[in-house]
Amino acid sequence: MISFQQKILNLIKYFRRQWPLFSNSERTTVCGADCMLTALQLSMAEVNKQHYGDFTVSLSDVMETWKYLLHDKLGLSYENMEEPENYADFKKAYHTFLASSNMLDIIDIYQKCHDLALVSEDESIAPVQLLEFISGVTKVSDSNGSVLPSTPVNGQDQSRVKVMLFAKKCFYSYLSLLVNSKDDLALARILNVPDRGLDREAFTKLKHASQERKMSIFLMATSFIRTVEHGGKGFSASLFDPLRAHVKGLSNFINFVDKLGEIVGEIPDPRIAGGQILSTVKTHLMKGRSNGDPFYQAVEEVVQDLDLKIKNIIDSQHEVLTASTTGVSPTRPKLHSINHGTVYCGRDTIKVLLVLLDKEAVSAPTQNKAELLYDDLNLNMFGITSFLTLFRSPEQSKESSPKPLRQRIQISVDEKIIKMKQSSIKSQFACTYKNEPSKIRGQQFLSSSRMPACIHPAAKQRLKEGMNSHLDIPVLGTISENVNQNRNYREMGKLSCQPKSKNSKNEQMDLNNDNVIYDEESETSLPKNAKKRKTSNNLQKELDSKVDGKRKNNRTASKNKLIVGQAKLTQFFKLRCCESVVFRLANRVDRLFPAYI
């Protein structure tokens, strides 16, 4: 008598033989009971996000909708069962998810086989039986004929069994992704196993990018990596591409899957190719783990079990596979072939892997639905999260949000502006002075419309009217020089003879002779090369003595030079100093000889 599990496998065999009647691709994978429940959970969460804004769903709602969906698809009466809210949207989203992942569930295969009359009476299955099998009511035996235990004996065995199941799912996910590149569930489980730095944030960015491009997650990752590696400058990824920060991890993942694909295409013997694939995945998963690691031991056991299953499949189908063991496709492939009708290698290996995945799809469903659908504390040590947590977009923490960053930048800019305002504002002549602030120096220069306050009133009047002295004894040399002096008085601007404090000293640099000329008590000395105007003998001697004394002090002063580009400005001040000295001498003569005015 044929077992119930074997009957389901026979349905899947009919599907493989007549796959163009079921699907558009020969590599379509079968979605088992656990996969169906997981797909329904993600579909319900997506619908809830559209209606309520939260990508989440409770376990009670999932189980209620799950029970109603099974009765609806199998055509069974669902009396005393109310239709869940938004059930039509849930069902549509569920089938859309399976179609985008290139998968068919067991119920769809069962209904299609019965509609096409591909099932004999001995192999027929009642809808109620299939409902009990998918719901987990029927006990299913493993390949050795023993009934699987419902729950482990103790906590330690339970943890060991969970690690074993996780290692087994990792291997099947790699094989499923190798066969069906559109399987998003398989990719989500192994994207960061082993650790590649591709956390929830990286998966979310990859998922959003695939939704925008309307392609599977694996194909989106492959397209991005190929663009980065072989696209060149004109086709390189944008600096603002969110996936650019995960190039290393995605490249590691894509290159490893490509390595598995090379094994399938280069080794024609499915027995050798299957063993090589398992050995490569085993080495990849155990990288960086010790022998005492529970996951390490689980991987060893899973590899031995899968290798034995592959050999059994090859032996059972030896007569069928001997006709096509070359692994080379004909020159003109069929219309509906693997990889959308393109020429391919390793078809025998792909067929063996499909049979292995089909047997896994009809395995017993998980009894504890909460552990299947939500986070398991026993697997947190491996960094494993549930599909619901992984597909949910992580919330941005307040510390890393753009708003505080802009505030920190604005605060830093404001602090710099305050420091700039607190610094002294130098005048246009401040570069020629060393000690005294330019702000104080700038206050000594008055506008050209104002006359110095220390000039004798009569001299002021004479300067304003532009009259020359008619006396026989000129005040400052010749009469022509007085005319030039009066003309300079009108042209001079920003000059002042207001007295300063005795302690203030202004140091003016001389770029020609590397000396520092001191202007003390509002008296500025003449430069070395400046001409002396003719004055009376006493005044000339007194002036010479003062200039000589200050020149001696200048020899002991510091010989600091100005920055490049201040020579012209220094020459300007030399002329102004000469005019200032002559101006002060004229005022002193007016005070000493008031009778001549």
Side-chain angles (χ1 to χ4, degrees):
M1 183 178 178
I2 302 176
S3 63
F4 183 79
Q5 188 178 8
Q6 187 61 40
K7 291 181 179 180
I8 299 178
L9 286 175
N10 292 336
L11 294 178
I12 298 177
K13 287 181 181 179
Y14 295 141
F15 156 65
R16 294 299 177 192
R17 294 172 186 173
Q18 304 292 335
W19 65 265
L21 302 176
F22 293 80
S23 176
N24 296 326
S25 174
E26 188 177 359
R27 296 196 179 192
T28 301
T29 53
V30 180
C31 186
D34 291 345
C35 180
M36 292 172 62
L37 184 58
T38 304
L40 178 63
Q41 181 197 31
L42 296 178
S43 302
M44 293 178 64
E46 184 66 28
V47 173
N48 289 340
K49 182 180 179 180
Q50 296 176 1
H51 287 276
Y52 309 109
D54 295 331
F55 189 88
T56 183
V57 60
S58 62
L59 179 61
S60 59
D61 294 340
V62 173
M63 297 309 301
E64 180 182 356
T65 307
W66 169 248
K67 185 178 180 180
Y68 193 90
L69 178 66
L70 294 180
H71 284 76
D72 185 19
K73 289 177 68 69
L74 290 172
L76 299 175
S77 62
Y78 29 81
E79 297 178 358
N80 301 327
M81 294 177 58
E82 295 182 0
E83 180 177 335
E85 185 180 1
N86 301 323
Y87 171 74
D89 295 335
F90 294 156
K91 184 179 180 180
K92 181 180 179 180
Y94 169 77
H95 288 98
T96 302
F97 182 84
L98 292 183
S100 62
S101 299
N102 194 23
M103 291 190 294
L104 286 175
D105 59 18
I106 298 177
I107 299 179
D108 292 336
I109 295 176
Y110 166 79
Q111 290 178 344
K112 192 69 175 179
C113 289
H114 278 274
D115 294 342
L116 298 175
L118 300 176
V119 182
S120 61
E121 295 181 359
D122 297 337
E123 297 176 348
S124 63
I125 301 174
V128 178
Q129 293 177 332
L130 186 58
L131 174 64
E132 293 177 352
F133 168 76
I134 297 176
S135 302
V137 178
T138 304
K139 295 183 179 180
V140 182
S141 60
D142 59 6
S143 59
N144 298 328
S146 60
V147 179
L148 297 175
S150 58
T151 56
V153 178
N154 51 39
Q156 185 177 1
D157 293 340
Q158 183 180 8
S159 177
R160 180 177 176 276
V161 170
K162 288 182 178 180
V163 175
M164 181 71 69
L165 291 176
F166 172 70
K168 184 179 178 181
K169 289 180 179 179
C170 288
F171 272 93
Y172 277 107
S173 296
Y174 273 109
L175 297 179
S176 179
L177 191 64
L178 181 62
V179 173
N180 179 16
S181 60
K182 295 182 178 181
D183 192 348
D184 290 344
L185 293 180
L187 179 137
R189 180 177 284 113
I190 61 176
L191 181 63
N192 201 34
V193 179
D195 187 13
R196 302 183 179 93
L198 302 175
D199 52 2
R200 284 182 57 198
E201 183 179 358
F203 180 81
T204 300
K205 294 177 181 178
L206 194 61
K207 181 188 69 174
H208 291 168
S210 65
Q211 291 175 352
E212 293 177 0
R213 299 283 296 274
K214 296 182 180 180
M215 61 175 60
S216 66
I217 299 178
F218 178 77
L219 294 180
M220 180 63 213
T222 304
S223 175
F224 174 75
I225 294 301
R226 294 294 178 265
T227 302
V228 173
E229 294 179 348
H230 309 295
K233 295 182 178 180
F235 299 93
S236 60
S238 173
L239 295 175
F240 304 99
D241 196 326
L243 297 178
R244 195 175 185 86
H246 309 286
V247 172
K248 183 178 179 180
L250 292 176
S251 177
N252 183 14
F253 176 73
I254 297 300
N255 292 333
F256 178 73
V257 178
D258 289 345
K259 185 177 181 180
L260 299 180
E262 292 176 0
I263 296 174
V264 174
E266 294 176 358
I267 301 178
D269 190 354
R271 188 186 302 269
I272 300 176
Q276 187 68 28
I277 291 172
L278 296 178
S279 177
T280 304
V281 176
K282 169 188 171 182
T283 305
H284 192 64
L285 292 178
M286 294 192 309
K287 185 182 300 183
R289 295 182 180 272
S290 60
N291 297 335
D293 194 332
F295 186 74
Y296 186 97
Q297 299 175 358
V299 169
E300 288 280 2
E301 297 179 11
V302 170
V303 169
Q304 296 177 3
D305 181 62
L306 292 180
D307 186 56
L308 180 60
K309 288 182 178 180
I310 290 176
K311 292 179 180 179
N312 293 335
I313 292 172
I314 295 174
D315 293 339
S316 62
Q317 298 178 352
H318 180 70
E319 296 180 357
V320 180
L321 296 176
T322 51
S324 59
T325 54
T326 58
V328 179
S329 63
T331 55
R332 298 184 65 182
K334 297 180 180 180
L335 179 62
H336 300 282
S337 61
I338 298 177
N339 289 338
H340 303 286
T342 59
V343 179
Y344 59 90
C345 299
R347 182 174 184 179
D348 298 334
T349 304
I350 294 297
K351 285 185 175 181
V352 172
L353 295 179
L354 284 172
V355 173
L356 182 63
L357 294 173
D358 293 342
K359 288 189 175 182
E360 175 62 19
V362 298
S363 60
T366 303
Q367 297 295 325
N368 193 338
K369 306 302 182 183
E371 293 181 355
L372 174 67
L373 300 178
Y374 297 92
D375 293 330
D376 189 357
L377 297 177
N378 295 325
L379 296 178
N380 287 342
M381 63 175 126
F382 301 103
I384 306 303
T385 58
S386 64
F387 286 113
L388 183 64
T389 304
L390 188 61
F391 276 80
R392 182 191 299 120
S393 301
E395 297 179 357
Q396 294 184 354
S397 60
K398 296 181 179 180
E399 297 179 356
S400 60
S401 60
K403 186 176 180 180
L405 179 60
R406 292 196 298 267
Q407 291 179 356
R408 290 195 299 269
I409 295 176
Q410 186 64 34
I411 292 173
S412 178
V413 172
D414 294 340
E415 291 178 354
K416 291 182 180 180
I417 293 176
I418 293 174
K419 290 181 180 180
M420 294 174 61
K421 290 182 178 181
Q422 290 177 351
S423 60
S424 59
I425 303 175
K426 297 183 179 181
S427 66
Q428 56 180 340
F429 308 113
C431 53
T432 58
Y433 297 97
K434 292 174 59 180
N435 293 342
E436 188 172 358
S438 59
K439 187 176 181 180
I440 300 176
R441 170 61 58 183
Q443 293 176 354
Q444 299 177 5
F445 296 94
L446 304 178
S447 62
S448 58
S449 62
R450 301 176 63 180
M451 298 294 294
C454 58
I455 303 179
H456 194 274
K460 286 184 180 181
Q461 184 65 26
R462 185 178 60 186
L463 291 175
K464 291 181 179 179
E465 295 174 357
M467 297 175 61
N468 296 330
S469 178
H470 59 279
L471 299 176
D472 296 336
I473 303 177
V475 177
L476 295 175
T478 61
I479 298 176
S480 61
E481 290 179 349
N482 290 339
V483 175
N484 293 333
Q485 179 182 354
N486 296 339
R487 189 175 302 164
N488 290 335
Y489 285 159
R490 295 188 181 94
E491 295 176 358
M492 286 171 56
K494 300 181 182 179
L495 292 177
S496 174
C497 60
Q498 296 179 0
K500 299 184 301 181
S501 62
K502 296 182 179 180
N503 297 329
S504 63
K505 293 183 179 181
N506 299 331
E507 298 176 8
Q508 184 175 355
M509 303 298 298
D510 189 352
L511 294 179
N512 296 332
N513 50 21
D514 297 339
N515 290 335
V516 181
I517 303 175
Y518 286 87
D519 181 10
E520 187 175 0
E521 296 181 0
S522 302
E523 295 180 4
T524 307
S525 60
L526 286 170
K528 290 183 178 181
N529 299 329
K531 290 185 179 182
K532 298 180 181 179
R533 297 181 181 271
K534 295 181 181 181
T535 56
S536 61
N537 295 333
N538 294 334
L539 294 177
Q540 185 66 34
K541 291 180 181 180
E542 182 180 358
L543 179 60
D544 292 340
S545 62
K546 288 186 178 181
V547 172
D548 292 339
K550 292 186 177 181
R551 284 180 179 176
K552 292 180 180 180
N553 295 333
N554 293 340
R555 296 175 183 176
T556 60
S558 61
K559 297 183 179 181
N560 298 328
K561 294 184 178 180
L562 282 177
I563 60 177
V564 179
Q566 300 300 327
K568 294 183 179 181
L569 188 59
T570 305
Q571 294 294 337
F572 168 78
F573 271 91
K574 284 183 180 181
L575 298 177
R576 292 302 183 187
C577 290
C578 294
E579 294 172 353
S580 177
V581 170
V582 174
F583 186 76
R584 293 191 182 101
L585 290 176
N587 292 337
R588 187 167 296 180
V589 170
D590 292 340
R591 294 175 183 176
L592 293 176
F593 305 97
Y596 292 100
I597 299 176

